[in-house]
Amino acid sequence: KAGVTQTPRYLIKTRGQQVTLSCSPISGHRSVSWYQQTPGQGLQFLFEYFSETQRNKGNFPGRFSGRQFSNSRSEMNVSTLELGDSALYLCASSFASSTDTQYFGPGTRLTVL
Amino acid sequence: GENVEQHPSTLSVQEGDSAVIKCTYSDSASNYFPWYKQELGKGPQLIIDIRSNVGEKKDQRIAVTLNKTAKHFSLHITETQPEDSAVYFCAATWMDSSYKLIFGSGTRLLVRP
């Protein structure tokens, strides 16, 4: 069974640009969550989607957005990038909710210059 | 507020010794507590989890204990091996804001050969 895949694995952007990250969950999983990981703040929850609906959102500015498609694949978008957005962005999928086992992808390393 | 505290932040043990990592959580309604291992350049990998109706769970050299009254849970690794060296994260669900995991700050475990 294929794991969670994320593309691209690495990205370099400049301040003010926008970026779109993609996540393909494990087959059969309908819940996709996104997390930001930084050395200073650790792993922080961004948002979670289930059946194309956002069920929960973390404490991030509106520049961070996401969506989920009918095949459960998900994208997150960050607009007007800031230096502080440099981080590892992790996607996790689970069958239906956070009390189901969440499986993480390898992450997308975003560097903002 | 939503919080999971994890200690210690770094832990160095001799190969063959045991390692213990402890976490406390603030939401008494939390009912799911996973532990993840993250190796360099990879996403977090689930190693064991426990639910609130269970006090202890074992899987070979790894065990997790849960004390709901004190709101803390611990990871125990016995007979440590160099390949156990990694960063370990505890997490808890947040029942008043479901569908997300709140992570501890991580413990960097070093197993010396």
Side-chain angles (χ1 to χ4, degrees):
Chain A
K1 201 174 195 181
V4 178
T5 58
Q6 292 186 245
T7 57
R9 292 293 311 279
Y10 302 91
L11 265 178
I12 299 176
K13 293 285 187 179
T14 57
R15 280 179 299 174
Q17 287 187 310
Q18 73 166 21
V19 67
T20 299
L21 313 181
S22 180
C23 171
S24 293
I26 291 171
S27 178
H29 285 189
R30 297 171 64 189
S31 170
V32 174
S33 301
W34 288 89
Y35 294 83
Q36 181 195 64
Q37 186 175 27
T38 60
Q41 299 299 316
L43 278 153
Q44 295 189 91
F45 173 80
L46 280 158
F47 26 66
E48 188 264 359
Y49 288 88
F50 179 83
S51 291
E52 302 178 67
T53 300
Q54 185 183 88
R55 295 195 294 191
N56 202 355
K57 190 177 191 300
N59 296 323
F60 280 83
R63 300 184 297 105
F64 292 81
S65 63
R67 60 177 175 169
Q68 186 180 36
F69 302 95
S70 58
N71 62 358
S72 295
R73 190 177 69 85
S74 177
E75 290 181 347
M76 66 163 283
N77 183 277
V78 187
S79 61
T80 319
L81 284 166
E82 301 177 358
L83 295 179
D85 297 334
S86 294
L88 181 66
Y89 290 89
L90 292 160
C91 165
S93 78
S94 66
F95 184 68
S97 77
S98 62
T99 54
D100 297 318
T101 300
Q102 288 197 26
Y103 296 90
F104 282 82
T108 294
R109 171 73 63 186
L110 172 64
T111 302
V112 182
L113 302 176
Chain B
E2 305 170 345
N3 191 42
V4 175
E5 292 191 2
Q6 183 172 346
H7 300 280
S9 57
T10 59
L11 180 58
S12 180
V13 300
Q14 195 70 39
E15 181 178 359
D17 287 349
S18 295
V20 179
I21 302 170
K22 298 181 180 181
C23 290
T24 59
Y25 59 97
S26 58
D27 185 353
S28 58
S30 295
N31 67 351
Y32 176 62
F33 308 91
W35 285 89
Y36 287 87
K37 174 184 180 182
Q38 187 174 26
E39 297 174 315
L40 200 61
K42 297 183 179 180
Q45 178 186 12
L46 180 79
I47 56 172
I48 196 168
D49 57 10
I50 192 167
R51 298 180 188 276
S52 59
N53 58 346
V54 175
E56 182 176 1
K57 183 177 178 180
K58 280 187 178 180
D59 182 4
Q60 300 183 336
R61 297 186 297 108
I62 294 173
V64 57
T65 58
L66 172 64
N67 183 327
K68 285 215 72 179
T69 303
K71 291 190 285 186
H72 67 70
F73 56 113
S74 300
L75 177 71
H76 304 253
I77 305 175
T78 59
E79 301 173 17
T80 53
Q81 301 166 3
E83 51 265 38
D84 293 330
S85 296
V87 180
Y88 292 80
F89 292 95
C90 62
T93 52
W94 224 255
M95 296 313 294
D96 62 346
S97 301
S98 57
Y99 313 119
K100 71 178 181 182
L101 291 173
I102 301 297
F103 283 86
S105 54
T107 296
R108 185 173 299 278
L109 173 64
L110 174 65
V111 180
R112 307 185 306 273

